[in-house]
Amino acid sequence: MSLKVTFIDPRGNPVSCEAEAGDNLLRVGQAAGLPLEGTCEGQMACSTCHVIVAREWFDRLAEASEEEEDMLDFAAGARRTSRLSCQIELTPELDGLTVTVPGESVDARVM
């Protein structure tokens, strides 16, 4: 089943992506060329894949683990609806999800 995810890039431009149930949000964003570095490759040892989830979607996500909450303390521009994109597995219930890549995001892979 194909799902739609919309990323708002650091300049405020929407980037629409197609994904499959079971895809990881970090990998979907990276494939779309967004500045989501993911230095630790999803091991929750960094906060370089930080996104801000749209308020209307935040409560639909599985709750963040204590480890994820700890890593978000290090995320630049973190807000109440911040999450690590590596920890968001896409499900059919998340079809239409919208997240913002903070303006503070820097992807060292492209520097």
Side-chain angles (χ1 to χ4, degrees):
M1 173 184 191
S2 185
L3 308 173
K4 181 181 178 191
V5 177
T6 301
F7 290 88
I8 307 300
D9 76 12
R11 289 177 292 231
N13 301 311
V15 177
S16 294
C17 300
E18 293 290 320
E20 296 296 321
D23 281 348
N24 176 282
L25 188 62
L26 170 60
R27 289 190 292 273
V28 173
Q30 287 175 330
L34 292 156
L36 295 170
E37 188 173 330
T39 302
C40 72
E41 298 180 357
Q43 300 302 308
M44 276 195 298
C46 73
S47 60
T48 61
C49 68
H50 165 232
V51 294
I52 301 165
V53 178
R55 284 195 173 145
E56 63 270 18
W57 287 98
F58 187 74
D59 290 332
R60 298 182 199 187
L61 299 176
E63 219 173 289
S65 67
E66 187 174 328
E67 293 86 2
E68 181 180 357
E69 292 287 345
D70 289 345
M71 280 291 102
L72 286 167
D73 289 341
F74 298 106
R79 300 195 182 118
R80 188 186 74 73
T81 61
S82 289
R83 292 293 303 267
L84 298 179
S85 62
C86 69
Q87 297 303 301
I88 299 175
E89 183 176 315
L90 297 171
T91 64
E93 294 78 29
L94 296 177
D95 186 25
L97 175 67
T98 299
V99 299
T100 298
V101 179
E104 297 88 352
S105 292
V106 175
D107 188 347
R109 297 174 306 152
V110 295
M111 296 182 112

